[in-house]
């Protein structure tokens, strides 16, 4: 790992979303993790050393007093956070919640089993609550009035992370940081299709930061106005759901909105009452057409199984594009682009155009993105519910300005999600 000036310092300097490759852990974080982090071999799915270093820098910068951890599992992150607070922030308290009573990957072990491995007695700065869902926290009698930091590492299927956060939004200080684990998991492991943390992170319109490629963690910062945070979470919920969540599960989220936010309540009600559900499209009828091909592009036969790389042509030449024809609205309601990134060696800014077009030629949806730096972009295009028949997806990459050379003028699209 490359150690730099620190994640939060860099995030503050940038003043907004920070690119995936921009940030490394501080030397202090690396040293602390080397001395205090522990993980037994049986603790699958837990935070790694690089994730712990990210949390160290973020927490030492913010110095929260009441931390909420949603999703305990083995307890590796719980042990690390409780140890950090005991060592550095002795007035702070950690409240760790898990809806289960036993470790999801080994029912013979209780939730938080690693806590007993490390501590003879539970630390006084830790309150562990098992059998408590995020939607129960509001009515949990031992909770503090407000949390000022949240580590979210529970159900990763979309939109569960949104529900977890909406359920406690009014219990979290405005402007607080929300750390999200496993934001890269589905991009690294084809077998894992849990996109909830990634969707939430990539679609967040406010301030956010992410660790370097050694880690699988990032953070978003809530707005000072809770209604703006709620609106952003509701917008994320419009992405087709991977899991159907009964309307009854959303009651806690609705309870958190004051009567003054009636419009926000109604928007959430309308989304969760008739959510778009992710489907498995039939690819047998799809046809992929390539325009302006060049030898530097990489176009897999199935865009849902491998990344797509499109290299721009010179200005005045046909734009490099890929079109997927024959998408059926009753099988595919939209396309999620979980990661769009340009080459760091690109000679000029690149332009990405994403379009959905009906078989009649009528435009359905369009998104244009200017790639000026290494930041990873996110996009979601949706076909309207009343549309019938088939439609096409077109992806185009071009140079925004003339360049003497075009070496490295490519854009990588992580595996697309047809939902």
């Amino acid at each position: 790992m490359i150690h730099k000036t620190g994640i939060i310092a860099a995030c503050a300097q940038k003043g907004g979303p920070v690119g995936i490759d921009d940030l490394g852990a501080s030397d202090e974080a690396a040293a602390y993790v080397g001395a205090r982090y522990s993980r037994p071999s049986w603790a699958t799915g837990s935070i790694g050393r690089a994730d712990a270093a990210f949390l160290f820098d973020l927490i030492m910068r913010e110095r929260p007093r009441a931390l909420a951890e949603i999703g305990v599992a083995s307890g590796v992150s719980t042990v690390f956070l409780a140890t950090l607070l005991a060592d550095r922030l002795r007035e702070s308290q950690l409240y760790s919640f898990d809806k289960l009573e036993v470790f999801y990957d080994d029912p013979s072990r209780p939730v938080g089993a690693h806590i007993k491995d490390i501590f003879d007695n539970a630390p006084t700065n830790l309150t562990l609550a098992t059998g408590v869902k995020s939607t129960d926290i509001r009515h949990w009698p031992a909770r503090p009035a407000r949390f000022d930091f949240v580590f979210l590492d529970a159900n990763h299927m979309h939109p569960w992370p949104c529900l977890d956060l909406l359920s406690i939004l009014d219990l979290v200080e405005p402007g607080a940081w929300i750390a999200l684990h496993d934001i890269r998991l589905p991009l690294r492991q084809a077998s894992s299709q849990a996109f909830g943390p990634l969707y939430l992170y990539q679609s967040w319109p406010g301030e956010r930061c992410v660790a370097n490629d050694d880690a699988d963690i990032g953070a978003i910062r809530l707005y000072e106005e809770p209604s703006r945070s709620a609106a952003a979470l509701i917008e994320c919920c419009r992405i087709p759901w991977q899991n159907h969540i009964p309307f009854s599960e959303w009651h806690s989220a609705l309870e958190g909105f004051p009567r003054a936010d009636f419009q926000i309540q109604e928007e959430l009600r309308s989304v969760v009452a008739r959510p778009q559900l992710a489907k498995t499209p039939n690819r047998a009828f799809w046809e992929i057409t390539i325009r302006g091909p060049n030898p530097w592009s990489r176009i897999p036969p199935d865009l849902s199984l491998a990344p797509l790389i499109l290299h721009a042509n010179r200005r005045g030449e046909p734009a490099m594009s890929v079109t997927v024809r024959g998408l059926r609205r009753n099988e595919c309601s939209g396309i999620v682009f979980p990661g769009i990134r340009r080459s760091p060696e690109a000679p000029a800014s690149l332009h990405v155009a994403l379009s959905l077009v009906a078989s009649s030629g009528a435009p359905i949806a369009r998104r244009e993105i200017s790639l000026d730096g290494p930041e990873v972009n996110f996009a979601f295009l949706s076909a309207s519910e009343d549309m019938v028949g088939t439609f096409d997806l077109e992806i185009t990459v071009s140079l925004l300005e003339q360049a003497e050379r075009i070496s490295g003028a490519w854009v990588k699209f992580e595996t697309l999600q047809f939902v």
Side-chain angles (χ1 to χ4, degrees), residues 98 195 336:
D98 200 296
F195 277 82
V336 179

Side-chain angles (χ1 to χ4, degrees), residues 313-386:
N313 291 317
R314 296 184 184 276
R315 288 175 63 86
E317 298 176 350
M320 179 68 227
S321 68
V322 170
T323 302
V324 181
R325 304 185 187 280
L327 302 173
R328 300 182 176 189
R329 178 59 183 83
N330 63 337
E331 295 179 340
C332 180
S333 59
I335 297 91
V336 179
F337 300 79
I340 305 172
R341 175 170 34 179
R342 71 161 225 183
S343 163
E345 292 81 29
S349 299
L350 298 176
H351 178 261
V352 172
L354 309 170
S355 302
L356 298 184
V357 182
S359 55
S360 64
I364 300 173
R366 184 175 175 85
R367 172 80 184 275
E368 298 189 18
I369 304 172
S370 296
L371 301 180
D372 303 314
E375 292 82 7
V376 175
N377 287 264
F378 171 89
F380 168 58
L381 297 182
S382 177
S384 60
E385 293 186 13
D386 57 357

